[in-house]
């Protein structure tokens, strides 16, 4: 098993995708950490604004609740898609005013609604009549936008059952909101996280057009449409180990055409919002980990299989390792490569990337302690990180840019102190 078989060996293009600041920060690191390239995130934000110049950007901060990232985006004019009062508080401390936030979670308690309203948030997502009644009671006069469900076909995470309502129900929900003294301000969709097809956007925009026409027939003229998240990261690999190539240019063209169509239906006066998370940060965050062990173990069927155990796994930065495949770089090591199962360091069988997703080519000469760079893992790594499962500490967070790497800045206050334990 010294050949790669059907598993392609890593290419030089893997490291070429790294920006110069991120590559330098990883090369300089002699201990495990997660590093965010602020310059790269800023460039990705600017590119998004060029592609969708008519849309306001509300960063889905759950993807990367790192204070330096929030401050960077605040200075660029972005707002926040907050999913809890705690997120809203942290965004306020980072310099993002409440007027550039909305409460994008359709799941919220009476207490959460009241707390967000006290913080100054006036725009709330909804998808049920019960939630509308709670908003009327605890955020009187608030502006609401109703989330319309989508199939999520073509996405890594569909998101279609927990959130949203069918088109006809969306009309009734916004009618109920108007009756309750709320402002039926908008509609929203989410085509699924890491959406890899342009067709999903086309279909979602067609549904929005249907709902918009129905609302206007009832005398409700929404002020804006929230197109949600779902824009893909570009650096993941497919199960075959080859680069995924999301049709990003086509996706943006479909979105622009759909926006123009919705604006025509509304008579020209219609704003737009997008909620990128993964798209902005995934490719500009990377983990410097190390090899715990490369072992060739005998399996129950009598065969042997290589297992690469890393110092980082599902519980301390790579929670999504069963759903997306990251690029791995082994500085200073070359082939021959062998196909291996990748697993984390904990004493938990779930801390393993399923072999069904394909084996990963790794240098056969790897030794315990060798550095490993995990690329395009900047989305959700810090927010999913545990506080120390099995006594393994969360990864320290660093940011980098023209001034070089430095520890990630922490916010102040009780909620931030809690969050800081997660990076």
């Amino acid at each position: 098993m010294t050949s790669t078989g059907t598993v392609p060996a890593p290419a030089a293009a893997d490291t070429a995708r790294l920006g110069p600041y991120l590559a330098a920060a990883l090369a300089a690191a002699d201990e495990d950490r997660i590093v965010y390239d602020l310059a790269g995130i800023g460039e990705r934000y600017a590119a998004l604004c060029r592609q969708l110049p008519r849309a306001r950007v509300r960063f889905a901060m759950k993807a990367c609740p790192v204070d330096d990232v929030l401050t960077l985006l605040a200075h660029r004019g972005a707002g926040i898609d907050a999913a809890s009062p705690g997120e809203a508080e942290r965004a306020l401390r980072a310099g993002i005013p409440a007027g550039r936030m909305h409460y994008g979670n359709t799941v919220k308690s009476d207490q959460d609604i009241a707390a967000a309203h006290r913080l100054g948030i006036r725009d709330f997502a909804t998808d049920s009549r019960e939630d509308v009644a709670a908003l009327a009671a605890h955020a009187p006069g608030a502006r609401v936008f109703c989330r319309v469900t989508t199939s999520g076909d073509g996405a890594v995470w569909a998101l279609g059952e927990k959130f949203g309502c069918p088109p006809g129900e969306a009309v009734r929900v916004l009618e109920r909101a108007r009756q309750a003294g709320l402002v039926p301000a908008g509609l929203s969709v989410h085509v699924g996280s890491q959406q890899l097809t342009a067709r999903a956007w086309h279909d979602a925009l067609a549904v929005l057009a249907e709902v918009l026409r129905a609302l206007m027939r009832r005398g409700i003229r929404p002020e804006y449409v929230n197109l949600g998240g779902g824009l893909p990261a570009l650096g993941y690999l497919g199960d075959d180990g080859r680069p995924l190539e999301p049709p990003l240019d086509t996706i943006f063209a479909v979105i622009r055409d759909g926006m123009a169509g919705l604006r025509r239906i509304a008579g020209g006066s219609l704003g737009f919002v997008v909620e990128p998370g993964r798209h902005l940060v995934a490719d500009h965050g990377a983990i410097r980990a190390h090899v715990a062990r490369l072992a060739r173990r005998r399996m129950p069927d009598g065969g042997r299989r290589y297992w690469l155990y890393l110092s980082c796994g599902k519980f301390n930065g790579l929670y999504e390792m069963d759903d997306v495949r990251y690029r791995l770089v082994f500085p200073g090591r070359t082939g021959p490569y062998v196909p291996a199962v990748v697993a984390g360091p904990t004493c938990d069988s779930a801390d393993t990337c399923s072999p069904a997703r394909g084996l990963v080519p790794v240098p056969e000469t790897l030794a315990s302690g060798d550095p490993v760079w995990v690329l395009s893992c900047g989305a959700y790594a810090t927010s999913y990180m545990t506080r120390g499962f099995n006594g393994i500490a969360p990864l320290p967070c660093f940011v980098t840019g023209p001034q070089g790497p430095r520890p990630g800045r922490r916010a102040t206050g009780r909620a931030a102190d809690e969050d800081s334990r997660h990076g």
Side-chain angles (χ1 to χ4, degrees), residues 22 35 57 114 118 136 183 193 209 242 265 313 349 370 378 395:
L22 187 53
V35 185
V57 177
R118 286 194 299 270
V183 178
S193 189
R242 304 181 190 282
I265 294 171
S349 62
D370 282 353
L395 292 174

Side-chain angles (χ1 to χ4, degrees), residues 242-327:
R242 304 181 190 282
L244 292 176
E245 296 181 356
L248 194 59
D249 288 342
T250 303
I251 287 171
F252 280 132
V254 168
I255 292 173
R256 288 192 296 268
D257 288 346
M259 290 167 62
L262 293 176
R263 198 175 293 113
R264 286 192 295 271
I265 294 171
S269 57
L270 188 67
F272 291 92
V273 175
V274 289
E275 299 175 354
R278 184 183 306 278
H279 179 71
L280 293 183
V281 299
D283 296 322
H284 303 292
I287 287 173
R288 188 277 189 195
H290 68 269
V291 173
R293 186 75 59 210
L294 176 63
R296 190 183 183 200
R297 298 172 49 217
R298 189 171 295 280
M299 296 288 99
D301 63 3
R304 290 185 179 270
R305 175 173 286 170
Y306 284 94
W307 285 71
L308 175 62
Y309 303 104
L310 299 179
S311 62
C312 184
K314 286 186 181 178
F315 300 97
N316 61 335
L318 301 179
Y319 179 83
E320 295 183 340
M321 66 190 295
D322 245 353
D323 298 298
V324 296
R325 183 159 168 178
Y326 304 107
R327 298 169 186 266

Side-chain angles (χ1 to χ4, degrees), residues 165-417:
C165 57
E169 180 64 11
V171 174
R172 290 185 284 271
V173 165
L174 287 180
E175 284 185 313
R176 181 65 60 87
R178 178 173 60 178
Q179 295 164 3
L182 301 169
V183 178
L187 295 167
S188 75
V189 291
H190 197 305
V191 296
S193 189
Q194 188 66 9
Q195 176 56 252
L196 298 174
T197 72
R199 181 71 191 183
W201 295 98
H202 176 274
D203 293 348
L205 286 156
V207 171
L208 286 169
E210 171 192 340
V211 179
L212 183 59
R213 291 189 184 97
L215 288 170
M216 293 182 67
R217 288 195 295 268
R218 290 160 174 77
I220 297 176
R221 300 184 65 87
E223 300 171 25
Y224 61 86
V225 167
N226 183 334
L227 297 171
L231 291 170
L234 305 180
Y236 299 141
L237 300 175
D239 288 349
D240 60 0
R242 304 181 190 282
L244 292 176
E245 296 181 356
L248 194 59
D249 288 342
T250 303
I251 287 171
F252 280 132
V254 168
I255 292 173
R256 288 192 296 268
D257 288 346
M259 290 167 62
L262 293 176
R263 198 175 293 113
R264 286 192 295 271
I265 294 171
S269 57
L270 188 67
F272 291 92
V273 175
V274 289
E275 299 175 354
R278 184 183 306 278
H279 179 71
L280 293 183
V281 299
D283 296 322
H284 303 292
I287 287 173
R288 188 277 189 195
H290 68 269
V291 173
R293 186 75 59 210
L294 176 63
R296 190 183 183 200
R297 298 172 49 217
R298 189 171 295 280
M299 296 288 99
D301 63 3
R304 290 185 179 270
R305 175 173 286 170
Y306 284 94
W307 285 71
L308 175 62
Y309 303 104
L310 299 179
S311 62
C312 184
K314 286 186 181 178
F315 300 97
N316 61 335
L318 301 179
Y319 179 83
E320 295 183 340
M321 66 190 295
D322 245 353
D323 298 298
V324 296
R325 183 159 168 178
Y326 304 107
R327 298 169 186 266
L328 301 183
V329 175
F330 304 93
R333 292 291 187 180
T334 58
Y337 288 87
V338 294
V341 180
V342 175
T346 63
C347 192
D348 191 307
S349 62
D351 196 10
T352 302
C353 182
S354 171
R357 295 191 61 82
L359 303 180
V360 175
V362 306
E364 190 178 25
T365 57
L366 283 176
S368 183
D370 282 353
V372 181
W373 300 352
V374 187
L375 310 188
S376 293
C377 60
Y380 296 94
T382 54
S383 46
Y384 281 149
M385 207 176 294
T386 67
R387 297 185 183 182
F389 179 63
N390 269 178
I392 298 171
L395 292 174
C397 178
F398 281 68
V399 296
T400 193
Q403 289 74 42
R406 58 179 171 81
R409 188 170 47 83
R410 307 294 193 217
T412 59
R414 186 183 68 180
D417 289 341

Side-chain angles (χ1 to χ4, degrees), residues 127-170:
D127 63 0
S128 70
R129 303 182 204 191
E130 291 80 3
D131 186 63
V132 164
L135 286 165
H138 301 287
R143 296 153 48 86
V144 298
F145 56 99
C146 186
R147 180 163 170 172
V148 184
T149 191
T150 67
S151 71
D153 291 346
V156 175
W157 296 272
L159 311 180
E161 294 187 2
K162 185 175 182 181
F163 310 105
C165 57
E169 180 64 11

